[in-house]
Amino acid sequence: MPYFDAASSAPLHPVARQALLAALDEGWADPARLYREGRRARLLLDAAREAAAEAVGCRPDELVFTPSGTRAVHEGIAGALAGRRRAGRRLIVSAVEHSSVLHTAGAHEADGGTVTEVPVDRTGRIAPGAYAAALREAPDGVALACLQSANHEVGTLQPVAEAAEECAAAGVPLLVDAAQSLGWGPAEGNWSLLTASAHKWGGPAGVGLLAVRKGVRFRTVQPADERESGRSPGFENLPAIVAAAASLRAVRAEAAAEAERLRGLVDRIRARVPELVLEVEVVGDPERRLPHLVTFSCLYVDGEALLHELDRAEFSVSSGSSCTSSTLTPSHVLRAMGVLSEGNVRVSLPRGTAEAEVDRFLEVLPGVVADVREHLGAPKPAEAAPGPDPDPEPEPELVVDSLGKRCPIPVIELAKVIGEVPVGGVVTVLSDDEAARLDIPAWCEMRGQTYEGERPADRGVAYRVRRRA
């Protein structure tokens, strides 16, 4: 069964498995002890730290291991904010950061701090000079800025080196979340702090990395002990740490060749999906992106149903669609980009993915999408495109009541009636589904209609769409 969700968690690399089994026999003792078994464990821990630091591009004494990538983010942000409290309490983040960063920012706000969110364009990338502007326009002192190296949902690479220069010029440290990219190469630029997660590159789960450059003011806010420089207390999971470092070195050795191979497969998906499936938007930067990841959204498709049907066809994929969320709200990444969220599919190929598996995915996908659309009563492509005005004279304005209906039903009902108003006429969609705020404007963009905005309604929101074509 093809597994196409490496961005969530990559399969365990063979080198990680070998190192893990070996370290279970050799690295079970306390590395803080001076007897023989403890010294052996310390040698393994030191070697793992040196290997990981070399891959990150920092000194071994600047890097600590944490119980997860999320914990690395939490501890890195909290420690930098605490260490620079005198400089100010403002935190700068991009609008598409991983939830671990945004949750930490929320906790900082709840504690009295302030947060500036830097917007992105429709590809998910911050604009040149965006961090310099945010630093310049901040009404109070900035303690820390955060920027992911690559987006976890759409694969867009961020200009980390440029942002690091902008932050350095302002005397503000930059924390880089390199979870998605570290297996492909080191983060560029003069960053100050870096975090990563081993299971993203094929290491075992439960190991994170936190690097803090010398000279960065940092104060651990939780109770500390003598382990990991006091920045990540508790007994180290040494076998997992050894496996994480060994697999990071292994995937880096393979990265150039495998990136070229997977980029070719992803290029095929990016090109073929819009040809095979009508009403599709491929999102993310087409060039400046991770080599193994592609995301696309299908109009008139329930994301959860689509994922279930692909699973039945033996393909494991992920989604940022609101329809796959218990909160029924769109992915914050897709919302920040202003792109379609319904029927969203993220394909992230693990190392070793066969060309035949991608070909079979492309064979299966059109039928799966068609079946889901038919089940939902979506319009056929010919029906979705407004035809000539019928006789007698059509109504100049229609109201579609989609209150209580979840995505993609409001958009489906809009598509069915847009041809019933004359060119210049208006369709007003009433909806209480948060996804409509994103998907109706995205539908207008894709279908060549004019989105005129929203206004409050009795039990939801009224979205106005003017027929332009």
Side-chain angles (χ1 to χ4, degrees):
M1 179 173 179
Y3 176 79
F4 287 174
D5 195 22
S8 290
S9 188
L12 193 66
H13 194 282
V15 169
R17 185 182 301 277
Q18 295 168 4
L20 180 63
L21 293 175
L24 287 171
D25 292 331
E26 298 293 327
W28 50 268
D30 187 346
R33 298 294 174 249
L34 298 179
Y35 42 70
R36 180 179 55 196
E37 294 85 356
R39 294 197 305 273
R40 186 184 301 132
R42 169 56 66 178
L43 287 174
L44 289 173
L45 180 58
D46 289 346
R49 197 183 313 278
E50 289 178 6
E54 181 182 4
V56 168
C58 67
R59 293 169 33 166
D61 60 352
E62 294 175 328
L63 184 142
V64 300
F65 296 104
T66 66
S68 68
T70 295
R71 281 286 296 276
V73 167
H74 291 174
E75 293 166 7
I77 294 177
L81 290 173
R84 285 179 45 83
R85 191 179 180 100
R86 290 184 179 179
R89 300 212 63 199
R90 181 166 294 273
L91 172 66
I92 295 176
V93 301
S94 82
V96 293
E97 295 299 310
H98 188 269
S99 58
S100 60
V101 173
L102 299 184
H103 290 161
T104 311
H108 178 58
E109 280 188 308
D111 190 43
T114 54
V115 176
T116 295
E117 197 171 87
V118 177
V120 297
D121 61 19
R122 283 185 66 86
T123 71
R125 186 176 169 91
I126 64 167
Y131 271 55
L135 291 162
R136 186 171 57 250
E137 296 166 7
D140 48 12
V142 178
L144 177 68
C146 300
L147 181 64
Q148 60 189 195
S149 55
N151 186 259
H152 49 290
E153 287 194 30
V154 300
T156 297
L157 298 175
Q158 297 292 358
V160 170
E162 293 87 338
E165 289 181 8
E166 294 166 5
C167 290
V172 174
L174 177 70
L175 181 147
V176 176
D177 172 15
Q180 286 295 337
S181 69
L182 191 61
W184 300 107
E188 298 178 348
N190 188 28
W191 48 265
S192 302
L193 303 95
L194 181 141
T195 63
S197 185
H199 73 101
K200 302 291 188 181
W201 66 68
V207 179
L209 305 181
L210 170 60
V212 182
R213 298 280 199 195
K214 294 294 182 183
V216 175
R217 297 188 65 85
F218 191 95
R219 180 169 64 84
T220 303
V221 296
Q222 61 185 348
D225 61 21
E226 71 280 4
R227 299 181 188 276
E228 295 303 301
S229 304
R231 291 176 179 169
S232 185
F235 197 95
E236 298 95 343
N237 184 351
L238 185 53
I241 288 172
V242 170
S247 58
L248 180 55
R249 175 177 286 176
V251 299
R252 280 292 190 81
E254 308 162 351
E258 191 66 356
E260 182 178 0
R261 194 181 71 85
L262 292 182
R263 182 175 288 274
L265 296 179
V266 166
D267 285 343
R268 184 181 307 178
I269 297 174
R270 293 182 65 92
R272 291 290 289 150
V273 166
E275 296 172 354
L276 297 169
V277 182
L278 296 178
E279 314 289 4
V280 164
E281 182 179 17
V282 181
V283 300
D285 196 298
E287 298 297 332
R288 296 171 293 189
R289 56 176 173 81
L290 292 170
H292 69 303
L293 193 155
V294 56
T295 299
F296 55 89
S297 299
C298 307
L299 271 176
Y300 318 128
V301 171
D302 179 306
E304 186 172 4
L306 182 56
L307 263 59
H308 282 316
E309 291 303 312
L310 286 170
D311 181 60
R312 290 178 61 185
E314 300 188 337
F315 287 96
S316 302
V317 299
S318 185
S319 174
S321 171
S322 59
C323 306
T324 62
S325 167
S326 60
T327 61
L328 294 173
T329 58
S331 147
H332 71 277
V333 172
L334 301 179
R335 184 191 303 116
M337 294 167 61
V339 297
L340 184 70
S341 75
E342 66 185 55
N344 179 262
V345 175
R346 180 185 69 180
V347 174
S348 48
L349 306 178
R351 289 170 174 82
T353 297
E355 183 177 346
E357 293 175 329
V358 171
D359 288 340
R360 192 165 76 82
F361 175 77
L362 293 172
E363 291 175 4
V364 167
L365 181 67
V368 169
V369 173
D371 289 345
V372 174
R373 284 174 172 171
E374 183 178 4
H375 177 74
L376 292 171
K380 305 292 186 191
E383 296 171 354
D389 293 338
D391 236 353
E393 187 72 19
E395 293 292 329
E397 182 168 356
L398 288 177
V399 176
V400 174
D401 187 350
S402 289
L403 293 169
K405 300 174 183 177
R406 301 303 177 194
C407 77
I409 301 302
V411 178
I412 289 175
E413 294 185 343
L414 167 62
K416 285 181 174 180
V417 305
I418 190 69
E420 298 179 14
V421 298
V423 173
V426 172
V427 175
T428 298
V429 182
L430 304 178
S431 177
D432 53 3
D433 180 11
E434 180 64 25
R437 179 168 281 113
L438 185 62
D439 289 345
I440 289 177
W443 179 90
C444 293
E445 180 79 16
M446 295 174 70
R447 300 297 306 147
Q449 309 301 339
T450 300
Y451 178 65
E452 294 196 337
E454 63 179 68
R455 58 178 173 78
D458 288 342
R459 291 188 294 115
V461 178
Y463 301 93
R464 286 175 56 86
V465 176
R466 188 172 299 276
R467 181 178 171 187
R468 192 173 68 196

PDB file of all heavy atoms in Angstrom, residues 152-165:
ATOM      1  N   HIS A 152       4.917  22.902   6.012  1.00  0.00           N
ATOM      2  CA  HIS A 152       4.578  21.499   6.191  1.00  0.00           C
ATOM      3  C   HIS A 152       3.365  21.067   5.386  1.00  0.00           C
ATOM      4  O   HIS A 152       3.165  19.873   5.160  1.00  0.00           O
ATOM      5  CB  HIS A 152       4.319  21.228   7.667  1.00  0.00           C
ATOM      6  CG  HIS A 152       3.372  22.212   8.307  1.00  0.00           C
ATOM      7  ND1 HIS A 152       3.721  23.528   8.533  1.00  0.00           N
ATOM      8  CD2 HIS A 152       2.103  22.084   8.734  1.00  0.00           C
ATOM      9  CE1 HIS A 152       2.693  24.157   9.083  1.00  0.00           C
ATOM     10  NE2 HIS A 152       1.700  23.314   9.204  1.00  0.00           N
ATOM     11  N   GLU A 153       2.538  22.018   4.926  1.00  0.00           N
ATOM     12  CA  GLU A 153       1.325  21.654   4.194  1.00  0.00           C
ATOM     13  C   GLU A 153       1.464  21.815   2.687  1.00  0.00           C
ATOM     14  O   GLU A 153       0.907  21.015   1.926  1.00  0.00           O
ATOM     15  CB  GLU A 153       0.129  22.485   4.685  1.00  0.00           C
ATOM     16  CG  GLU A 153      -0.361  22.083   6.052  1.00  0.00           C
ATOM     17  CD  GLU A 153      -1.720  22.672   6.371  1.00  0.00           C
ATOM     18  OE1 GLU A 153      -2.514  22.892   5.440  1.00  0.00           O
ATOM     19  OE2 GLU A 153      -1.977  22.921   7.563  1.00  0.00           O
ATOM     20  N   VAL A 154       2.163  22.827   2.228  1.00  0.00           N
ATOM     21  CA  VAL A 154       2.244  23.074   0.785  1.00  0.00           C
ATOM     22  C   VAL A 154       3.671  23.020   0.254  1.00  0.00           C
ATOM     23  O   VAL A 154       3.878  23.113  -0.954  1.00  0.00           O
ATOM     24  CB  VAL A 154       1.590  24.425   0.415  1.00  0.00           C
ATOM     25  CG1 VAL A 154       0.130  24.436   0.827  1.00  0.00           C
ATOM     26  CG2 VAL A 154       2.331  25.601   1.044  1.00  0.00           C
ATOM     27  N   GLY A 155       4.667  22.888   1.126  1.00  0.00           N
ATOM     28  CA  GLY A 155       6.043  22.692   0.688  1.00  0.00           C
ATOM     29  C   GLY A 155       6.816  23.929   0.306  1.00  0.00           C
ATOM     30  O   GLY A 155       7.996  23.838  -0.049  1.00  0.00           O
ATOM     31  N   THR A 156       6.218  25.110   0.389  1.00  0.00           N
ATOM     32  CA  THR A 156       6.896  26.344  -0.024  1.00  0.00           C
ATOM     33  C   THR A 156       8.103  26.633   0.860  1.00  0.00           C
ATOM     34  O   THR A 156       8.001  26.586   2.093  1.00  0.00           O
ATOM     35  CB  THR A 156       5.912  27.524   0.028  1.00  0.00           C
ATOM     36  OG1 THR A 156       4.852  27.292  -0.911  1.00  0.00           O
ATOM     37  CG2 THR A 156       6.600  28.831  -0.302  1.00  0.00           C
ATOM     38  N   LEU A 157       9.234  26.938   0.227  1.00  0.00           N
ATOM     39  CA  LEU A 157      10.441  27.320   0.955  1.00  0.00           C
ATOM     40  C   LEU A 157      10.389  28.803   1.293  1.00  0.00           C
ATOM     41  O   LEU A 157       9.996  29.624   0.462  1.00  0.00           O
ATOM     42  CB  LEU A 157      11.684  27.033   0.108  1.00  0.00           C
ATOM     43  CG  LEU A 157      11.929  25.569  -0.275  1.00  0.00           C
ATOM     44  CD1 LEU A 157      13.137  25.483  -1.205  1.00  0.00           C
ATOM     45  CD2 LEU A 157      12.143  24.707   0.955  1.00  0.00           C
ATOM     46  N   GLN A 158      10.803  29.140   2.500  1.00  0.00           N
ATOM     47  CA  GLN A 158      10.835  30.526   2.927  1.00  0.00           C
ATOM     48  C   GLN A 158      12.235  31.121   2.767  1.00  0.00           C
ATOM     49  O   GLN A 158      13.229  30.396   2.845  1.00  0.00           O
ATOM     50  CB  GLN A 158      10.395  30.644   4.390  1.00  0.00           C
ATOM     51  CG  GLN A 158       8.969  30.207   4.662  1.00  0.00           C
ATOM     52  CD  GLN A 158       7.938  31.137   4.037  1.00  0.00           C
ATOM     53  OE1 GLN A 158       8.279  32.151   3.424  1.00  0.00           O
ATOM     54  NE2 GLN A 158       6.662  30.788   4.180  1.00  0.00           N
ATOM     55  N   PRO A 159      12.342  32.432   2.573  1.00  0.00           N
ATOM     56  CA  PRO A 159      13.652  33.088   2.434  1.00  0.00           C
ATOM     57  C   PRO A 159      14.313  33.275   3.806  1.00  0.00           C
ATOM     58  O   PRO A 159      14.432  34.399   4.313  1.00  0.00           O
ATOM     59  CB  PRO A 159      13.292  34.430   1.781  1.00  0.00           C
ATOM     60  CG  PRO A 159      11.901  34.716   2.252  1.00  0.00           C
ATOM     61  CD  PRO A 159      11.216  33.377   2.359  1.00  0.00           C
ATOM     62  N   VAL A 160      14.757  32.175   4.366  1.00  0.00           N
ATOM     63  CA  VAL A 160      15.293  32.202   5.731  1.00  0.00           C
ATOM     64  C   VAL A 160      16.557  33.053   5.814  1.00  0.00           C
ATOM     65  O   VAL A 160      16.734  33.833   6.761  1.00  0.00           O
ATOM     66  CB  VAL A 160      15.570  30.760   6.216  1.00  0.00           C
ATOM     67  CG1 VAL A 160      16.351  30.777   7.527  1.00  0.00           C
ATOM     68  CG2 VAL A 160      14.260  30.007   6.403  1.00  0.00           C
ATOM     69  N   ALA A 161      17.456  32.916   4.843  1.00  0.00           N
ATOM     70  CA  ALA A 161      18.707  33.680   4.905  1.00  0.00           C
ATOM     71  C   ALA A 161      18.441  35.174   4.905  1.00  0.00           C
ATOM     72  O   ALA A 161      19.052  35.931   5.676  1.00  0.00           O
ATOM     73  CB  ALA A 161      19.606  33.291   3.728  1.00  0.00           C
ATOM     74  N   GLU A 162      17.506  35.622   4.052  1.00  0.00           N
ATOM     75  CA  GLU A 162      17.183  37.048   3.995  1.00  0.00           C
ATOM     76  C   GLU A 162      16.551  37.516   5.304  1.00  0.00           C
ATOM     77  O   GLU A 162      16.890  38.584   5.827  1.00  0.00           O
ATOM     78  CB  GLU A 162      16.245  37.337   2.828  1.00  0.00           C
ATOM     79  CG  GLU A 162      16.870  37.130   1.465  1.00  0.00           C
ATOM     80  CD  GLU A 162      16.760  35.694   0.962  1.00  0.00           C
ATOM     81  OE1 GLU A 162      16.580  34.781   1.795  1.00  0.00           O
ATOM     82  OE2 GLU A 162      16.846  35.491  -0.257  1.00  0.00           O
ATOM     83  N   ALA A 163      15.627  36.718   5.838  1.00  0.00           N
ATOM     84  CA  ALA A 163      14.988  37.094   7.100  1.00  0.00           C
ATOM     85  C   ALA A 163      16.005  37.134   8.236  1.00  0.00           C
ATOM     86  O   ALA A 163      15.931  38.006   9.118  1.00  0.00           O
ATOM     87  CB  ALA A 163      13.867  36.107   7.427  1.00  0.00           C
ATOM     88  N   ALA A 164      16.960  36.206   8.227  1.00  0.00           N
ATOM     89  CA  ALA A 164      17.988  36.199   9.271  1.00  0.00           C
ATOM     90  C   ALA A 164      18.836  37.460   9.207  1.00  0.00           C
ATOM     91  O   ALA A 164      19.201  38.035  10.251  1.00  0.00           O
ATOM     92  CB  ALA A 164      18.859  34.950   9.123  1.00  0.00           C
ATOM     93  N   GLU A 165      19.158  37.907   7.991  1.00  0.00           N
ATOM     94  CA  GLU A 165      19.922  39.154   7.853  1.00  0.00           C
ATOM     95  C   GLU A 165      19.133  40.335   8.376  1.00  0.00           C
ATOM     96  O   GLU A 165      19.683  41.221   9.050  1.00  0.00           O
ATOM     97  CB  GLU A 165      20.279  39.374   6.381  1.00  0.00           C
ATOM     98  CG  GLU A 165      21.317  38.422   5.832  1.00  0.00           C
ATOM     99  CD  GLU A 165      21.639  38.708   4.372  1.00  0.00           C
ATOM    100  OE1 GLU A 165      21.155  39.740   3.867  1.00  0.00           O
ATOM    101  OE2 GLU A 165      22.369  37.916   3.752  1.00  0.00           O
TER     102      GLU A 165
END
